[in-house]
Amino acid sequence: MGILDNRVVIITGAGGGLGAAHARVFASEGACVLVNDINRDAAQKVVDEIVAAGGRAVVNTSDITNYADSENAVKQAIETYGDLHVVLNNAGVNRDRMFASMTEAEWDTIMAVHLKGHFCISSHAVHYWRDQAKAGHKVDARIINTTSGAGLQGSIGQSNYAAAKAGIAALTLNQAAELRRYGITANAVAPAARTGMTTAVESMATRMAKPEDGSFDYWAPENVSSLLAWLASAEAAGISGRVFESEGGKISIADGWRTTQGVDKGARWLPAEVGEAMQALLAAEVPAQPVYGA
């Protein structure tokens, strides 16, 4: 059928938006998809669409922020389809607020859904894959995380969301480095697409509207899904520890933090001397991309 024939995939937050698009594209490429969403009706609608199109999918309503409950998603995938190959962490919410006005609850909600949510199901999946590898079975597994441009360069009014998404990017690097020995790759993607979250603001909804003339739908979420489907395939076994950006027809790699040559006195800088070092550092630096909304 496609590049994901018989690959078993868990997609979180797949009852709508990007997650639903990912589920449909993955299924069309032959994957067996566990459609995870706490909204059962939304998840069931996506499953019904996939099955009607000839694909394979089932509903899962595990709470990705609950470590014990999230294990049920992994168990269901294995019990239903006999194996597990991919965890695609997609679920997310917004609680936007300027930092000076942000509440503890708004901070905690974002950390739970995004950062802890990326940990829970992945942790149980890794335990399964590690056991398989230690038993001598070949493992060709994938963790695909969802970060954001907000996490890569900051975003005004989204300090909670930006911090969580930056944490996800760093988590991905660690997962890639630690899990390679078990046959597991880890990559992250920062998507830009038309979803309920991105079109909540009227100006964004207008900008991202589907063209009526039948031309290329630049903001269609399926544009992002294609990259993720390839990363989930056997062809991507050699790709790990990368953070990609996907928008329209463009795929790019986010070039992360790098240590510069720096200035080295060979001895302790006195506090009054640091200004001289700072001038040299700033004169040689490549400026970061501006914070969104700055």
Side-chain angles (χ1 to χ4, degrees):
M1 289 178 61
I3 64 172
L4 296 176
D5 277 357
N6 299 315
R7 299 277 279 174
V8 181
V9 182
I10 297 172
I11 303 178
T12 68
L18 275 166
H22 299 337
R24 290 189 291 265
V25 171
F26 274 56
S28 71
E29 290 293 333
C32 305
V33 183
L34 196 80
V35 177
N36 165 267
D37 204 290
I38 57 174
N39 185 331
R40 178 178 290 277
D41 291 341
Q44 187 63 59
K45 181 179 178 181
V46 174
V47 168
D48 291 344
E49 292 173 355
I50 289 172
V51 172
R56 292 169 289 178
V58 293
V59 171
N60 172 268
T61 58
S62 293
D63 179 357
I64 63 165
T65 71
N66 183 296
Y67 190 73
D69 190 24
S70 65
E71 185 177 12
N72 292 321
V74 173
K75 289 180 176 179
Q76 183 181 347
I78 297 167
E79 291 170 358
T80 304
Y81 296 116
D83 207 345
L84 176 65
H85 303 98
V86 181
V87 170
L88 198 174
N89 292 301
N90 164 81
V93 295
N94 273 350
R95 295 292 186 273
D96 293 354
R97 188 87 63 186
M98 298 298 281
F99 183 81
S101 302
M102 185 166 293
T103 67
E104 181 182 12
E106 289 165 340
W107 179 271
D108 287 347
T109 294
I110 293 299
M111 292 302 154
V113 175
H114 290 272
L115 199 50
K116 186 180 180 183
H118 271 61
F119 165 74
C120 289
I121 289 180
S122 296
S123 174
H124 294 298
V126 166
H127 294 165
Y128 168 71
W129 291 325
R130 182 181 60 184
D131 289 345
Q132 292 287 302
K134 288 185 175 181
H137 302 297
K138 178 178 172 56
V139 174
D140 185 27
R142 308 280 181 271
I143 296 173
I144 304 175
N145 296 325
T146 304
T147 183
S148 168
L152 303 180
Q153 62 195 69
S155 179
I156 298 295
Q158 292 188 307
S159 56
N160 50 358
Y161 181 79
K165 289 302 191 182
I168 288 167
L171 171 65
T172 302
L173 302 183
N174 263 60
Q175 289 173 327
E178 295 177 11
L179 303 177
R180 186 185 302 273
R181 73 188 72 178
Y182 304 121
I184 305 166
T185 70
N187 293 285
V189 175
R194 184 176 56 249
T195 69
M197 287 170 60
T198 58
T199 59
V201 178
E202 185 177 353
S203 60
M204 290 293 288
T206 300
R207 177 178 172 230
M208 290 183 162
K210 184 176 181 179
E212 298 179 357
D213 59 4
S215 59
F216 174 53
D217 187 358
Y218 186 89
W219 298 109
E222 290 79 9
N223 298 334
V224 178
S225 304
S226 295
L227 169 60
L228 300 185
W230 185 85
L231 288 173
S233 75
E235 294 182 36
I239 307 297
S240 195
R242 300 292 199 283
V243 177
F244 296 94
E245 294 179 90
S246 178
E247 176 182 315
K250 181 182 179 181
I251 299 171
S252 56
I253 294 176
D255 198 4
W257 295 102
R258 295 180 183 276
T259 303
T260 64
Q261 182 175 352
V263 290
D264 186 356
K265 179 182 176 182
R268 175 181 171 236
W269 293 91
L270 297 177
E273 297 175 325
V274 172
E276 176 186 347
M278 189 61 61
Q279 289 180 9
L281 286 171
L282 295 177
E285 75 164 340
V286 178
Q289 292 175 238
V291 172
Y292 287 155

